[in-house]
């Protein structure tokens, strides 16, 4: 049987990004999750600029080690 439902494709790295920010939120329990997420992603962008050769999974892993989220 065929389904007319479109297949949802999750972009590579999105799951890793969401898991990373979720772990950081659970670890730090911030007062304002929205503000925390904004700062988290800004700092991650800066970190990525200095580590452009890393795959997203390794990038998140190293970022968390530096920030103490592990």
């Amino acid at each position: 049987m065929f389904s007319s439902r479109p297949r949802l494709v999750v972009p590579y790295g999105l799951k890793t990004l969401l898991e990373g920010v979720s772990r950081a939120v659970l670890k730090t329990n911030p007062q304002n999750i929205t503000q925390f997420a904004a700062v988290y992603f800004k700092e991650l962008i800066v970190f990525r600029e200095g580590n452009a050769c890393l795959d997203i999974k390794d990038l998140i892993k190293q970022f968390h080690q530096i920030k103490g989220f592990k």
Side-chain angles (χ1 to χ4, degrees):
M1 189 172 230
F2 292 100
S3 174
S4 61
R5 190 184 236 185
R7 183 176 173 183
L8 183 64
V9 177
V10 178
Y12 179 77
L14 180 59
K15 181 181 175 193
T16 303
L17 283 171
L18 294 177
E19 286 175 349
V21 73
S22 297
R23 286 184 181 153
V25 165
L26 292 172
K27 177 90 176 177
T28 60
N29 194 24
Q31 291 276 334
N32 186 328
I33 294 174
T34 305
Q35 183 180 12
F36 176 86
V39 171
Y40 175 92
F41 286 119
K42 284 180 185 178
E43 291 180 1
L44 182 61
I45 288 168
V46 171
F47 184 72
R48 182 187 64 183
E49 289 170 355
N51 297 280
C53 63
L54 292 176
D55 181 69
I56 187 67
K57 292 179 182 181
D58 296 325
L59 185 77
I60 297 293
K61 183 177 180 180
Q62 287 187 21
F63 181 69
H64 278 226
Q65 288 173 345
I66 291 169
K67 295 302 229 173
F69 296 139
K70 280 274 179 177

